[in-house]
Amino acid sequence: MSTLIKTVEGDVNYDLNFTLQDSAGAAVDITGSTLKLKTQRIGAAALDIDAAMAIVSGTAGTCKYTVASGQLATAGDYYAEIEVTFAGGKIVTYGDFVVRVLKQLPR
């Protein structure tokens, strides 16, 4: 089952926070890694976001992305994934989540 993250169109400069876990539910150590958030509106051909993320706590597997102006700006559902490049060069993609952008009120 996908994780659903909800936000509202037009909101900017807020953080999307994540904790990366392995299949057993343990935190993935992302210390020294580079992370990239990718989002694609369902039905669109291009990515909406393809940008670097910040590590909050490497050993706890926590990271965040600050949404900028123009990103996630259209109401709808977006596929999302986090691509992690570990210090040794190994690349692992964490996905299975959807960002749902809601219309602002009044709807």
Side-chain angles (χ1 to χ4, degrees):
M1 179 178 190
S2 296
T3 299
L4 179 64
I5 301 166
K6 292 182 183 179
T7 187
V8 177
E9 67 182 352
D11 289 359
V12 296
N13 298 324
Y14 63 93
D15 292 336
L16 296 175
N17 296 289
F18 303 92
T19 300
L20 302 182
Q21 299 175 329
D22 62 20
S23 60
V28 174
D29 188 345
I30 54 176
T31 304
S33 300
T34 56
L35 289 76
K36 184 183 283 194
L37 177 66
K38 296 180 181 183
T39 66
Q40 180 182 13
R41 189 164 188 250
I42 295 174
L47 294 176
D48 183 61
I49 298 173
D50 185 5
M53 300 179 70
I55 294 173
V56 176
S57 172
T59 55
T62 57
C63 54
K64 68 179 182 176
Y65 181 76
T66 303
V67 177
S69 180
Q71 296 176 332
L72 303 176
T74 303
D77 288 348
Y78 293 72
Y79 296 120
E81 64 186 29
I82 298 171
E83 181 182 277
V84 180
T85 303
F86 292 92
K90 176 178 157 182
I91 299 173
V92 177
T93 301
Y94 296 85
D96 201 26
F97 58 97
V98 171
V99 178
R100 176 164 293 155
V101 179
L102 305 170
K103 287 185 173 274
Q104 288 192 359
L105 293 176
R107 294 186 188 142

